Amino acid sequence: MGKCPIRCRITFNKIRKEFSTGVFINPSLWNSKKQIAEPPNDENYIINTQLSLIENKIRQAFLLLQI
């Protein structure tokens, strides 16, 4: 099976924006409830780390907009 892109969806004040993260994963390795790649292995660790970095950048941008 091929890899699919992981997309990020942000909703604020009932306005939804979606964008591609640039990260690709085999759909059978994606845990949609936890929003992480499983099982733990080197490739999935890298994917989860990349997604965590994207999440941190989004949170940082939100905090900057609040000040």
Side-chain angles (χ1 to χ4, degrees), residues 59-67:
R59 290 184 187 277
Q60 183 179 21
F62 180 71
L63 288 172
L64 287 173
L65 291 172
Q66 285 183 315
I67 2 187

Side-chain angles (χ1 to χ4, degrees), residues 18-65:
E18 190 171 325
F19 62 92
S20 178
T21 61
V23 180
F24 292 81
I25 188 169
N26 183 322
S28 65
L29 301 177
W30 183 248
N31 183 326
S32 60
K33 290 189 187 229
K34 293 182 182 178
Q35 298 291 291
I36 61 171
E38 290 184 328
N41 61 32
D42 290 343
E43 184 178 354
N44 290 343
Y45 176 78
I46 292 169
I47 289 170
N48 291 331
T49 300
Q50 288 174 315
L51 295 175
S52 179
L53 289 171
I54 292 168
E55 179 184 9
N56 287 335
K57 287 180 183 179
I58 291 168
R59 290 184 187 277
Q60 183 179 21
F62 180 71
L63 288 172
L64 287 173
L65 291 172

